[in-house]
Amino acid sequence: MARKTVIAGNWKMNKTAAEGKALVEALKGLVADVCPARAEIIVCPPFTTLGAVAEAIAGSNIKLGAQNVHWEKSGAFTGEISADMLKEAGVEYVIIGHSERRQYFGETDATVNQRLKAALNAGLKPIVCIGETLEERESGNTEKVLAAQLSGGLAGLDAEVVAGLILAYEPVWAIGTGKTATPEMAEETHRFIRSFVAGEFGQAAADAITIQYGGSMKPENAAALCAQADIDGGLIGGAALKADSFAALVKNAIAAGQA
Ligand code: PEP
């Protein structure tokens, strides 16, 4: 079944409002010929850069995402942000459960599940991150870890909702390290994720769900990764911080994904 290629740039704690605006102003021209019916292009700036980027991408084929969302609507949660606040800023997508949130900020599968439900209730489109550490892979526990992250993270969701989700499979050992999973290794894991979704939520949800790969994806390796049957695009860190590298990656990914 043909799924759209979805490429999201996770800017992490990079780019002031002025820098972010300059990046997307350059990116807009470079990806103007990408047809939104074939591919989604998303940028996920830090919170204080969202407004400037929203303004700069208005009317273009670039969509706005955020990097986190809290499950409560408002209240005493210092440093957090609500789904309604993101919506007001023009945000359409939100990354949930990135490995850096899990590693440095105590994110768990249970909090991923709470954030995910709040995002869905507000009409945001979540990008749910899962992935194993090097130690977990080397000890043969990759599938067990991913199964637990999926069971906990997606708990209580209906199959129709799962069908519309974006998952990002990001082996933690490949994030920001320059070490990419080989296309075959990534495909094997993506196939496992899709079959796990089929087992829990049915084949229709598994066929429809978008599964991105993330971890040192670059313009040079995007085609080989996105040519794999179960890889539907990428969540990109480092290579999303420059307009030319992100645009080249987007184009290579789309061409390979739809070849
Ligand atoms: C990420 O942080 O989601 C990521 C994939 O980073 P990088 O592309 O830099 O490995």
Side-chain angles (χ1 to χ4, degrees):
M1 129 170 223
R3 286 176 295 268
K4 251 195 201 184
T5 300
V6 183
I7 308 285
N10 174 13
W11 294 2
K12 310 191 183 186
M13 198 171 71
N14 294 294
K15 304 292 177 191
T16 62
E19 290 166 350
K21 183 172 184 286
L23 196 165
V24 288
E25 289 293 1
L27 183 64
K28 269 197 300 191
L30 296 171
V31 298
D33 58 337
V34 171
C35 171
R38 296 182 67 199
E40 296 278 301
I41 306 169
I42 306 160
V43 293
C44 303
F47 298 139
T48 53
T49 301
L50 287 170
V53 170
E55 218 176 285
I57 61 176
S60 78
N61 58 357
I62 303 172
K63 305 284 174 58
L64 190 62
Q67 299 173 21
N68 192 19
V69 62
H70 196 262
W71 53 87
E72 292 291 348
K73 283 198 154 297
S74 63
F77 301 99
T78 303
E80 290 283 338
I81 196 154
S82 77
D84 289 342
M85 292 167 187
L86 294 178
K87 292 276 286 182
E88 188 184 46
V91 168
E92 202 178 323
Y93 293 83
V94 62
I95 299 171
I96 296 175
H98 190 277
S99 64
E100 286 150 18
R101 300 282 325 159
R102 294 177 189 259
Q103 187 180 350
Y104 304 127
F105 303 104
E107 195 81 68
T108 64
D109 297 327
T111 57
V112 166
N113 186 250
Q114 285 180 285
R115 293 183 199 275
L116 174 56
K117 286 175 175 164
L120 289 166
N121 284 338
L124 290 168
K125 297 175 190 163
I127 300 174
V128 182
C129 302
I130 55 172
E132 81 288 0
T133 62
L134 186 58
E135 196 188 345
E136 288 162 346
R137 177 161 282 267
E138 286 179 343
S139 58
N141 286 318
T142 298
E143 294 189 355
K144 197 170 134 204
V145 167
L146 296 175
Q149 290 175 340
L150 288 166
S151 299
L154 308 187
L157 298 193
D158 292 337
E160 306 79 69
V161 173
V162 171
L165 286 181
I166 302 171
L167 295 177
Y169 166 59
E170 301 203 302
V172 178
W173 47 271
I175 296 178
T177 59
K179 286 184 203 158
T180 324
T182 63
E184 295 72 27
M185 195 194 277
E187 171 60 12
E188 190 187 343
T189 311
H190 278 236
R191 208 178 308 125
F192 165 75
I193 294 167
R194 206 175 292 284
S195 68
F196 186 86
V197 170
E200 298 282 305
F201 299 98
Q203 195 59 47
D207 286 341
I209 196 168
T210 297
I211 311 178
Q212 298 176 315
Y213 172 80
S216 298
M217 198 190 272
K218 308 267 181 261
E220 300 74 32
N221 59 21
L225 286 160
C226 293
Q228 303 296 318
D230 291 292
I231 300 183
D232 308 319
L235 181 57
I236 319 300
L241 295 176
K242 286 198 177 133
D244 53 356
S245 66
F246 191 55
L249 189 158
V250 163
K251 298 215 171 161
N252 292 347
I254 294 171
Q258 282 155 26

